[in-house]
PDB file of all heavy atoms in Angstrom:
ATOM      1  N   LYS O   9     128.183  42.705  82.525  1.00 94.00           N
ATOM      2  CA  LYS O   9     129.240  43.032  83.329  1.00 94.00           C
ATOM      3  C   LYS O   9     128.819  42.645  84.791  1.00 94.00           C
ATOM      4  O   LYS O   9     129.675  42.220  85.590  1.00 94.00           O
ATOM      5  CB  LYS O   9     129.611  44.499  83.212  1.00 94.00           C
ATOM      6  CG  LYS O   9     130.759  44.999  84.152  1.00 94.00           C
ATOM      7  CD  LYS O   9     132.116  44.431  83.644  1.00 94.00           C
ATOM      8  CE  LYS O   9     133.229  45.089  84.621  1.00 94.00           C
ATOM      9  NZ  LYS O   9     134.462  44.431  84.173  1.00 94.00           N
ATOM     10  N   TYR O  33     138.526  29.127  78.005  1.00 97.00           N
ATOM     11  CA  TYR O  33     138.583  28.839  79.463  1.00 97.00           C
ATOM     12  C   TYR O  33     137.694  29.569  80.269  1.00 97.00           C
ATOM     13  O   TYR O  33     137.348  30.787  79.983  1.00 97.00           O
ATOM     14  CB  TYR O  33     139.977  29.167  80.072  1.00 97.00           C
ATOM     15  CG  TYR O  33     141.151  28.504  79.211  1.00 97.00           C
ATOM     16  CD1 TYR O  33     141.584  28.968  77.997  1.00 97.00           C
ATOM     17  CD2 TYR O  33     141.717  27.226  79.651  1.00 97.00           C
ATOM     18  CE1 TYR O  33     142.494  28.369  77.314  1.00 97.00           C
ATOM     19  CE2 TYR O  33     142.739  26.529  78.894  1.00 97.00           C
ATOM     20  CZ  TYR O  33     143.128  27.166  77.798  1.00 97.00           C
ATOM     21  OH  TYR O  33     144.094  26.612  76.953  1.00 97.00           O
ATOM     22  N   TYR O  35     137.216  30.842  84.450  1.00 98.00           N
ATOM     23  CA  TYR O  35     137.823  30.936  85.787  1.00 98.00           C
ATOM     24  C   TYR O  35     136.893  31.542  86.627  1.00 98.00           C
ATOM     25  O   TYR O  35     136.056  32.351  86.349  1.00 98.00           O
ATOM     26  CB  TYR O  35     139.139  31.741  85.711  1.00 98.00           C
ATOM     27  CG  TYR O  35     140.226  31.116  84.875  1.00 98.00           C
ATOM     28  CD1 TYR O  35     140.333  31.315  83.574  1.00 98.00           C
ATOM     29  CD2 TYR O  35     141.227  30.319  85.466  1.00 98.00           C
ATOM     30  CE1 TYR O  35     141.309  30.918  82.744  1.00 98.00           C
ATOM     31  CE2 TYR O  35     142.239  29.765  84.642  1.00 98.00           C
ATOM     32  CZ  TYR O  35     142.365  30.067  83.432  1.00 98.00           C
ATOM     33  OH  TYR O  35     143.306  29.507  82.633  1.00 98.00           O
ATOM     34  N   GLN O  37     137.156  33.909  90.319  1.00 96.00           N
ATOM     35  CA  GLN O  37     137.973  34.635  91.200  1.00 96.00           C
ATOM     36  C   GLN O  37     137.082  35.197  92.366  1.00 96.00           C
ATOM     37  O   GLN O  37     136.128  35.793  92.122  1.00 96.00           O
ATOM     38  CB  GLN O  37     138.615  35.833  90.430  1.00 96.00           C
ATOM     39  CG  GLN O  37     139.636  36.499  91.247  1.00 96.00           C
ATOM     40  CD  GLN O  37     140.388  37.494  90.455  1.00 96.00           C
ATOM     41  OE1 GLN O  37     139.765  38.187  89.506  1.00 96.00           O
ATOM     42  NE2 GLN O  37     141.746  37.678  90.705  1.00 96.00           N
ATOM     43  N   GLY O  42     143.307  34.084  94.080  1.00 89.00           N
ATOM     44  CA  GLY O  42     143.826  33.972  92.603  1.00 89.00           C
ATOM     45  C   GLY O  42     142.714  33.298  91.646  1.00 89.00           C
ATOM     46  O   GLY O  42     141.451  33.447  92.013  1.00 89.00           O
ATOM     47  N   LEU O  43     143.128  32.815  90.664  1.00 94.00           N
ATOM     48  CA  LEU O  43     142.186  32.307  89.557  1.00 94.00           C
ATOM     49  C   LEU O  43     142.064  30.796  89.668  1.00 94.00           C
ATOM     50  O   LEU O  43     142.975  30.133  89.711  1.00 94.00           O
ATOM     51  CB  LEU O  43     142.764  32.700  88.169  1.00 94.00           C
ATOM     52  CG  LEU O  43     142.799  34.261  87.996  1.00 94.00           C
ATOM     53  CD1 LEU O  43     143.781  34.527  86.840  1.00 94.00           C
ATOM     54  CD2 LEU O  43     141.451  34.860  87.848  1.00 94.00           C
ATOM     55  N   LEU O  45     140.354  27.455  87.865  1.00 95.00           N
ATOM     56  CA  LEU O  45     139.761  26.962  86.554  1.00 95.00           C
ATOM     57  C   LEU O  45     138.526  26.149  86.896  1.00 95.00           C
ATOM     58  O   LEU O  45     138.469  25.110  87.538  1.00 95.00           O
ATOM     59  CB  LEU O  45     140.941  26.131  85.859  1.00 95.00           C
ATOM     60  CG  LEU O  45     140.472  25.647  84.522  1.00 95.00           C
ATOM     61  CD1 LEU O  45     140.259  26.741  83.505  1.00 95.00           C
ATOM     62  CD2 LEU O  45     141.556  24.682  84.006  1.00 95.00           C
ATOM     63  N   TYR O  48     137.380  24.033  80.696  1.00 96.00           N
ATOM     64  CA  TYR O  48     138.085  24.517  79.470  1.00 96.00           C
ATOM     65  C   TYR O  48     137.766  23.663  78.342  1.00 96.00           C
ATOM     66  O   TYR O  48     137.365  22.556  78.429  1.00 96.00           O
ATOM     67  CB  TYR O  48     139.599  24.643  79.770  1.00 96.00           C
ATOM     68  CG  TYR O  48     140.274  23.316  79.873  1.00 96.00           C
ATOM     69  CD1 TYR O  48     141.164  22.702  78.956  1.00 96.00           C
ATOM     70  CD2 TYR O  48     140.128  22.718  81.264  1.00 96.00           C
ATOM     71  CE1 TYR O  48     141.820  21.609  79.317  1.00 96.00           C
ATOM     72  CE2 TYR O  48     140.956  21.462  81.578  1.00 96.00           C
ATOM     73  CZ  TYR O  48     141.659  20.989  80.599  1.00 96.00           C
ATOM     74  OH  TYR O  48     142.396  19.821  80.808  1.00 96.00           O
ATOM     75  N   ASP O  59     139.490  22.595  87.919  1.00 92.00           N
ATOM     76  CA  ASP O  59     139.601  22.178  89.378  1.00 92.00           C
ATOM     77  C   ASP O  59     138.561  22.406  90.291  1.00 92.00           C
ATOM     78  O   ASP O  59     138.347  21.698  91.246  1.00 92.00           O
ATOM     79  CB  ASP O  59     140.796  23.088  89.941  1.00 92.00           C
ATOM     80  CG  ASP O  59     142.123  23.026  89.109  1.00 92.00           C
ATOM     81  OD1 ASP O  59     142.511  21.712  88.813  1.00 92.00           O
ATOM     82  OD2 ASP O  59     142.701  23.951  88.813  1.00 92.00           O
ATOM     83  N   PHE O  88     133.516  36.613  90.876  1.00 97.00           N
ATOM     84  CA  PHE O  88     133.828  37.301  89.575  1.00 97.00           C
ATOM     85  C   PHE O  88     134.252  36.105  88.655  1.00 97.00           C
ATOM     86  O   PHE O  88     135.185  35.318  88.941  1.00 97.00           O
ATOM     87  CB  PHE O  88     134.967  38.283  89.875  1.00 97.00           C
ATOM     88  CG  PHE O  88     135.354  39.136  88.681  1.00 97.00           C
ATOM     89  CD1 PHE O  88     134.355  39.871  88.060  1.00 97.00           C
ATOM     90  CD2 PHE O  88     136.775  39.300  88.378  1.00 97.00           C
ATOM     91  CE1 PHE O  88     134.758  40.765  87.018  1.00 97.00           C
ATOM     92  CE2 PHE O  88     137.092  40.183  87.327  1.00 97.00           C
ATOM     93  CZ  PHE O  88     136.089  40.870  86.620  1.00 97.00           C
ATOM     94  N   LEU O  90     135.732  34.970  84.977  1.00 98.00           N
ATOM     95  CA  LEU O  90     136.508  35.453  83.863  1.00 98.00           C
ATOM     96  C   LEU O  90     136.627  34.339  82.739  1.00 98.00           C
ATOM     97  O   LEU O  90     136.819  33.092  83.041  1.00 98.00           O
ATOM     98  CB  LEU O  90     138.016  35.674  84.251  1.00 98.00           C
ATOM     99  CG  LEU O  90     138.059  36.997  85.099  1.00 98.00           C
ATOM    100  CD1 LEU O  90     139.332  36.976  85.997  1.00 98.00           C
ATOM    101  CD2 LEU O  90     138.138  38.182  84.302  1.00 98.00           C
ATOM    102  N   ARG O  94     142.837  31.101  73.998  1.00 94.00           N
ATOM    103  CA  ARG O  94     144.268  30.991  73.513  1.00 94.00           C
ATOM    104  C   ARG O  94     144.221  30.350  72.082  1.00 94.00           C
ATOM    105  O   ARG O  94     143.491  29.510  71.778  1.00 94.00           O
ATOM    106  CB  ARG O  94     144.899  30.021  74.473  1.00 94.00           C
ATOM    107  CG  ARG O  94     146.397  29.723  74.054  1.00 94.00           C
ATOM    108  CD  ARG O  94     147.007  28.848  75.032  1.00 94.00           C
ATOM    109  NE  ARG O  94     146.457  27.477  75.012  1.00 94.00           N
ATOM    110  CZ  ARG O  94     146.853  26.529  74.248  1.00 94.00           C
ATOM    111  NH1 ARG O  94     147.712  26.697  73.335  1.00 94.00           N
ATOM    112  NH2 ARG O  94     146.294  25.322  74.412  1.00 94.00           N
ATOM    113  N   TYR O  98     151.259  30.334  72.993  1.00 88.00           N
ATOM    114  CA  TYR O  98     150.916  30.069  74.339  1.00 88.00           C
ATOM    115  C   TYR O  98     150.466  31.245  75.100  1.00 88.00           C
ATOM    116  O   TYR O  98     150.253  31.180  76.307  1.00 88.00           O
ATOM    117  CB  TYR O  98     152.102  29.531  75.033  1.00 88.00           C
ATOM    118  CG  TYR O  98     152.453  28.136  74.627  1.00 88.00           C
ATOM    119  CD1 TYR O  98     153.341  27.870  73.641  1.00 88.00           C
ATOM    120  CD2 TYR O  98     151.854  27.012  75.152  1.00 88.00           C
ATOM    121  CE1 TYR O  98     153.678  26.471  73.123  1.00 88.00           C
ATOM    122  CE2 TYR O  98     152.064  25.672  74.724  1.00 88.00           C
ATOM    123  CZ  TYR O  98     153.010  25.477  73.736  1.00 88.00           C
ATOM    124  OH  TYR O  98     153.248  24.254  73.304  1.00 88.00           O
ATOM    125  N   GLU O  99     149.878  32.321  74.440  1.00 93.00           N
ATOM    126  CA  GLU O  99     149.439  33.540  75.062  1.00 93.00           C
ATOM    127  C   GLU O  99     147.943  33.364  75.335  1.00 93.00           C
ATOM    128  O   GLU O  99     147.233  33.222  74.314  1.00 93.00           O
ATOM    129  CB  GLU O  99     149.826  34.685  74.222  1.00 93.00           C
ATOM    130  CG  GLU O  99     151.282  34.907  74.135  1.00 93.00           C
ATOM    131  CD  GLU O  99     151.775  36.005  73.197  1.00 93.00           C
ATOM    132  OE1 GLU O  99     150.842  36.715  72.685  1.00 93.00           O
ATOM    133  OE2 GLU O  99     152.873  36.110  72.820  1.00 93.00           O
ATOM    134  N   GLN O 100     147.537  33.479  76.496  1.00 95.00           N
ATOM    135  CA  GLN O 100     146.123  33.433  76.855  1.00 95.00           C
ATOM    136  C   GLN O 100     145.650  34.749  77.122  1.00 95.00           C
ATOM    137  O   GLN O 100     146.293  35.449  77.925  1.00 95.00           O
ATOM    138  CB  GLN O 100     145.917  32.397  77.973  1.00 95.00           C
ATOM    139  CG  GLN O 100     144.512  32.248  78.545  1.00 95.00           C
ATOM    140  CD  GLN O 100     144.410  31.016  79.366  1.00 95.00           C
ATOM    141  OE1 GLN O 100     144.793  29.976  79.202  1.00 95.00           O
ATOM    142  NE2 GLN O 100     143.856  31.371  80.637  1.00 95.00           N
ATOM    143  N   PHE O 102     142.325  37.291  78.382  1.00 97.00           N
ATOM    144  CA  PHE O 102     141.101  37.270  79.205  1.00 97.00           C
ATOM    145  C   PHE O 102     140.080  38.363  78.674  1.00 97.00           C
ATOM    146  O   PHE O 102     140.405  39.414  78.079  1.00 97.00           O
ATOM    147  CB  PHE O 102     141.535  37.624  80.659  1.00 97.00           C
ATOM    148  CG  PHE O 102     142.193  36.569  81.408  1.00 97.00           C
ATOM    149  CD1 PHE O 102     143.531  36.343  81.276  1.00 97.00           C
ATOM    150  CD2 PHE O 102     141.428  35.648  82.090  1.00 97.00           C
ATOM    151  CE1 PHE O 102     144.096  35.316  81.936  1.00 97.00           C
ATOM    152  CE2 PHE O 102     141.927  34.666  82.684  1.00 97.00           C
ATOM    153  CZ  PHE O 102     143.327  34.434  82.703  1.00 97.00           C
ATOM    154  N   GLY O 103     138.831  38.024  79.064  1.00 97.00           N
ATOM    155  CA  GLY O 103     137.758  39.059  78.824  1.00 97.00           C
ATOM    156  C   GLY O 103     137.620  39.971  79.974  1.00 97.00           C
ATOM    157  O   GLY O 103     138.435  39.756  80.996  1.00 97.00           O
ATOM    158  N   PRO O 104     136.730  40.830  80.085  1.00 97.00           N
ATOM    159  CA  PRO O 104     136.617  41.837  81.129  1.00 97.00           C
ATOM    160  C   PRO O 104     135.971  41.353  82.390  1.00 97.00           C
ATOM    161  O   PRO O 104     135.993  41.940  83.376  1.00 97.00           O
ATOM    162  CB  PRO O 104     135.738  42.900  80.535  1.00 97.00           C
ATOM    163  CG  PRO O 104     134.993  42.250  79.440  1.00 97.00           C
ATOM    164  CD  PRO O 104     135.835  41.139  78.883  1.00 97.00           C
TER     165      PRO O 104
ATOM    166  N   GLY J   1     144.350  22.160  92.330  1.00 61.00           N
ATOM    167  CA  GLY J   1     145.312  22.045  91.360  1.00 61.00           C
ATOM    168  C   GLY J   1     146.574  22.595  91.553  1.00 61.00           C
ATOM    169  O   GLY J   1     146.936  23.189  92.582  1.00 61.00           O
ATOM    170  N   THR J  31     156.736  28.001  79.138  1.00 94.00           N
ATOM    171  CA  THR J  31     156.420  29.439  78.832  1.00 94.00           C
ATOM    172  C   THR J  31     155.992  30.161  80.128  1.00 94.00           C
ATOM    173  O   THR J  31     155.340  29.424  80.884  1.00 94.00           O
ATOM    174  CB  THR J  31     155.238  29.489  77.768  1.00 94.00           C
ATOM    175  OG1 THR J  31     155.573  28.742  76.649  1.00 94.00           O
ATOM    176  CG2 THR J  31     154.819  30.898  77.501  1.00 94.00           C
ATOM    177  N   LEU J  33     154.117  33.622  81.571  1.00 97.00           N
ATOM    178  CA  LEU J  33     153.372  34.766  81.149  1.00 97.00           C
ATOM    179  C   LEU J  33     153.237  35.696  82.472  1.00 97.00           C
ATOM    180  O   LEU J  33     153.023  35.096  83.581  1.00 97.00           O
ATOM    181  CB  LEU J  33     151.991  34.417  80.769  1.00 97.00           C
ATOM    182  CG  LEU J  33     151.924  33.390  79.580  1.00 97.00           C
ATOM    183  CD1 LEU J  33     150.526  33.001  79.314  1.00 97.00           C
ATOM    184  CD2 LEU J  33     152.629  34.014  78.340  1.00 97.00           C
ATOM    185  N   TYR J  35     150.843  38.875  83.999  1.00 98.00           N
ATOM    186  CA  TYR J  35     149.544  39.654  83.750  1.00 98.00           C
ATOM    187  C   TYR J  35     149.456  40.754  84.878  1.00 98.00           C
ATOM    188  O   TYR J  35     149.987  40.574  85.963  1.00 98.00           O
ATOM    189  CB  TYR J  35     148.334  38.707  83.999  1.00 98.00           C
ATOM    190  CG  TYR J  35     148.153  37.735  82.868  1.00 98.00           C
ATOM    191  CD1 TYR J  35     148.822  36.415  82.997  1.00 98.00           C
ATOM    192  CD2 TYR J  35     147.417  37.918  81.753  1.00 98.00           C
ATOM    193  CE1 TYR J  35     148.506  35.486  82.023  1.00 98.00           C
ATOM    194  CE2 TYR J  35     147.238  37.028  80.758  1.00 98.00           C
ATOM    195  CZ  TYR J  35     147.747  35.792  80.939  1.00 98.00           C
ATOM    196  OH  TYR J  35     147.548  34.870  79.950  1.00 98.00           O
ATOM    197  N   GLN J  37     146.180  42.852  86.706  1.00 97.00           N
ATOM    198  CA  GLN J  37     144.698  42.987  86.799  1.00 97.00           C
ATOM    199  C   GLN J  37     144.422  44.207  87.680  1.00 97.00           C
ATOM    200  O   GLN J  37     144.825  44.380  88.797  1.00 97.00           O
ATOM    201  CB  GLN J  37     144.166  41.719  87.522  1.00 97.00           C
ATOM    202  CG  GLN J  37     142.645  41.754  87.569  1.00 97.00           C
ATOM    203  CD  GLN J  37     142.071  40.532  88.225  1.00 97.00           C
ATOM    204  OE1 GLN J  37     142.660  39.800  89.052  1.00 97.00           O
ATOM    205  NE2 GLN J  37     140.797  40.144  87.793  1.00 97.00           N
ATOM    206  N   GLY J  40     138.166  44.898  89.421  1.00 92.00           N
ATOM    207  CA  GLY J  40     136.993  44.793  88.664  1.00 92.00           C
ATOM    208  C   GLY J  40     137.114  44.527  87.112  1.00 92.00           C
ATOM    209  O   GLY J  40     136.147  44.562  86.355  1.00 92.00           O
ATOM    210  N   GLU J  41     138.409  44.223  86.755  1.00 95.00           N
ATOM    211  CA  GLU J  41     138.701  44.090  85.311  1.00 95.00           C
ATOM    212  C   GLU J  41     139.366  42.711  85.064  1.00 95.00           C
ATOM    213  O   GLU J  41     139.855  42.079  86.089  1.00 95.00           O
ATOM    214  CB  GLU J  41     139.574  45.116  84.746  1.00 95.00           C
ATOM    215  CG  GLU J  41     139.031  46.579  84.952  1.00 95.00           C
ATOM    216  CD  GLU J  41     137.828  46.868  84.084  1.00 95.00           C
ATOM    217  OE1 GLU J  41     137.730  46.232  82.984  1.00 95.00           O
ATOM    218  OE2 GLU J  41     137.014  47.651  84.491  1.00 95.00           O
ATOM    219  N   GLY J  42     139.388  42.199  83.781  1.00 96.00           N
ATOM    220  CA  GLY J  42     140.099  40.961  83.582  1.00 96.00           C
ATOM    221  C   GLY J  42     141.633  41.282  83.507  1.00 96.00           C
ATOM    222  O   GLY J  42     142.096  42.414  83.287  1.00 96.00           O
ATOM    223  N   PRO J  43     142.314  40.156  83.762  1.00 97.00           N
ATOM    224  CA  PRO J  43     143.840  40.367  83.568  1.00 97.00           C
ATOM    225  C   PRO J  43     144.282  40.761  82.144  1.00 97.00           C
ATOM    226  O   PRO J  43     143.712  40.252  81.185  1.00 97.00           O
ATOM    227  CB  PRO J  43     144.407  39.046  84.035  1.00 97.00           C
ATOM    228  CG  PRO J  43     143.224  38.386  84.833  1.00 97.00           C
ATOM    229  CD  PRO J  43     142.059  38.941  84.363  1.00 97.00           C
ATOM    230  N   ALA J  48     155.313  37.899  77.693  1.00 96.00           N
ATOM    231  CA  ALA J  48     155.356  36.489  77.486  1.00 96.00           C
ATOM    232  C   ALA J  48     156.866  36.103  77.319  1.00 96.00           C
ATOM    233  O   ALA J  48     157.594  36.731  76.468  1.00 96.00           O
ATOM    234  CB  ALA J  48     154.564  36.019  76.268  1.00 96.00           C
ATOM    235  N   TYR J  50     159.500  32.733  76.371  1.00 94.00           N
ATOM    236  CA  TYR J  50     159.467  31.372  75.772  1.00 94.00           C
ATOM    237  C   TYR J  50     160.721  30.722  75.878  1.00 94.00           C
ATOM    238  O   TYR J  50     160.678  29.355  75.595  1.00 94.00           O
ATOM    239  CB  TYR J  50     159.128  31.661  74.257  1.00 94.00           C
ATOM    240  CG  TYR J  50     157.805  32.260  73.976  1.00 94.00           C
ATOM    241  CD1 TYR J  50     157.635  33.604  73.576  1.00 94.00           C
ATOM    242  CD2 TYR J  50     156.557  31.463  74.037  1.00 94.00           C
ATOM    243  CE1 TYR J  50     156.490  34.188  73.447  1.00 94.00           C
ATOM    244  CE2 TYR J  50     155.388  32.061  73.987  1.00 94.00           C
ATOM    245  CZ  TYR J  50     155.296  33.349  73.588  1.00 94.00           C
ATOM    246  OH  TYR J  50     154.105  34.015  73.260  1.00 94.00           O
ATOM    247  N   PHE J  88     150.015  38.857  88.399  1.00 97.00           N
ATOM    248  CA  PHE J  88     149.988  37.323  88.366  1.00 97.00           C
ATOM    249  C   PHE J  88     151.071  36.838  87.414  1.00 97.00           C
ATOM    250  O   PHE J  88     151.094  37.263  86.264  1.00 97.00           O
ATOM    251  CB  PHE J  88     148.700  36.795  87.828  1.00 97.00           C
ATOM    252  CG  PHE J  88     147.500  36.998  88.739  1.00 97.00           C
ATOM    253  CD1 PHE J  88     146.569  38.046  88.484  1.00 97.00           C
ATOM    254  CD2 PHE J  88     147.311  36.211  89.847  1.00 97.00           C
ATOM    255  CE1 PHE J  88     145.486  38.220  89.381  1.00 97.00           C
ATOM    256  CE2 PHE J  88     146.145  36.355  90.666  1.00 97.00           C
ATOM    257  CZ  PHE J  88     145.270  37.411  90.485  1.00 97.00           C
ATOM    258  N   TRP J  92     152.979  27.553  81.397  1.00 91.00           N
ATOM    259  CA  TRP J  92     152.583  26.364  80.681  1.00 91.00           C
ATOM    260  C   TRP J  92     153.709  25.327  81.103  1.00 91.00           C
ATOM    261  O   TRP J  92     154.793  25.463  80.787  1.00 91.00           O
ATOM    262  CB  TRP J  92     152.507  26.451  79.206  1.00 91.00           C
ATOM    263  CG  TRP J  92     151.452  27.265  78.766  1.00 91.00           C
ATOM    264  CD1 TRP J  92     151.525  28.570  78.355  1.00 91.00           C
ATOM    265  CD2 TRP J  92     150.033  26.975  78.646  1.00 91.00           C
ATOM    266  NE1 TRP J  92     150.440  29.086  78.069  1.00 91.00           N
ATOM    267  CE2 TRP J  92     149.359  28.135  78.199  1.00 91.00           C
ATOM    268  CE3 TRP J  92     149.314  25.914  79.062  1.00 91.00           C
ATOM    269  CZ2 TRP J  92     147.952  28.199  78.046  1.00 91.00           C
ATOM    270  CZ3 TRP J  92     147.947  25.946  78.787  1.00 91.00           C
ATOM    271  CH2 TRP J  92     147.256  27.167  78.389  1.00 91.00           C
ATOM    272  N   THR J  97     149.331  20.084  80.207  1.00 71.00           N
ATOM    273  CA  THR J  97     148.057  19.453  80.608  1.00 71.00           C
ATOM    274  C   THR J  97     146.893  20.267  79.855  1.00 71.00           C
ATOM    275  O   THR J  97     145.798  19.804  79.961  1.00 71.00           O
ATOM    276  CB  THR J  97     147.715  19.541  82.012  1.00 71.00           C
ATOM    277  OG1 THR J  97     147.839  20.868  82.521  1.00 71.00           O
ATOM    278  CG2 THR J  97     148.885  18.658  82.884  1.00 71.00           C
ATOM    279  N   GLY J  98     147.271  21.261  79.106  1.00 80.00           N
ATOM    280  CA  GLY J  98     146.247  22.098  78.569  1.00 80.00           C
ATOM    281  C   GLY J  98     145.691  23.115  79.453  1.00 80.00           C
ATOM    282  O   GLY J  98     144.761  23.929  79.078  1.00 80.00           O
ATOM    283  N   LYS J  99     146.277  23.247  80.704  1.00 88.00           N
ATOM    284  CA  LYS J  99     145.766  24.265  81.644  1.00 88.00           C
ATOM    285  C   LYS J  99     146.910  25.163  82.017  1.00 88.00           C
ATOM    286  O   LYS J  99     148.066  24.586  82.376  1.00 88.00           O
ATOM    287  CB  LYS J  99     145.242  23.541  82.906  1.00 88.00           C
ATOM    288  CG  LYS J  99     144.159  22.611  82.562  1.00 88.00           C
ATOM    289  CD  LYS J  99     143.539  22.057  83.984  1.00 88.00           C
ATOM    290  CE  LYS J  99     144.468  21.063  84.660  1.00 88.00           C
ATOM    291  NZ  LYS J  99     143.752  20.466  85.876  1.00 88.00           N
ATOM    292  N   LEU J 100     146.715  26.543  82.029  1.00 92.00           N
ATOM    293  CA  LEU J 100     147.695  27.410  82.408  1.00 92.00           C
ATOM    294  C   LEU J 100     147.737  27.310  83.927  1.00 92.00           C
ATOM    295  O   LEU J 100     146.656  27.506  84.672  1.00 92.00           O
ATOM    296  CB  LEU J 100     147.256  28.865  81.830  1.00 92.00           C
ATOM    297  CG  LEU J 100     148.242  29.938  82.010  1.00 92.00           C
ATOM    298  CD1 LEU J 100     149.522  29.610  81.284  1.00 92.00           C
ATOM    299  CD2 LEU J 100     147.615  31.220  81.397  1.00 92.00           C
ATOM    300  N   PHE J 102     148.623  29.165  87.484  1.00 94.00           N
ATOM    301  CA  PHE J 102     148.815  30.584  88.003  1.00 94.00           C
ATOM    302  C   PHE J 102     149.501  30.707  89.300  1.00 94.00           C
ATOM    303  O   PHE J 102     149.254  29.829  90.123  1.00 94.00           O
ATOM    304  CB  PHE J 102     147.446  31.202  88.088  1.00 94.00           C
ATOM    305  CG  PHE J 102     146.847  31.663  86.779  1.00 94.00           C
ATOM    306  CD1 PHE J 102     145.994  30.794  86.003  1.00 94.00           C
ATOM    307  CD2 PHE J 102     147.037  32.879  86.288  1.00 94.00           C
ATOM    308  CE1 PHE J 102     145.574  31.100  84.765  1.00 94.00           C
ATOM    309  CE2 PHE J 102     146.578  33.207  84.955  1.00 94.00           C
ATOM    310  CZ  PHE J 102     145.744  32.370  84.302  1.00 94.00           C
TER     311      PHE J 102
END
Side-chain angles (χ1 to χ4, degrees):
Chain O
K9 182 71 173 173
Y33 306 80
Y35 295 88
Q37 188 175 35
L43 300 164
L45 182 65
Y48 64 108
D59 301 315
F88 189 49
L90 287 158
R94 177 178 66 86
Y98 288 96
E99 296 175 11
Q100 184 168 301
F102 285 86
Chain J
T31 303
L33 306 174
Y35 292 88
Q37 185 178 27
E41 302 293 330
Y50 297 101
F88 289 101
W92 295 101
T97 60
K99 300 186 288 185
L100 189 60
F102 284 89

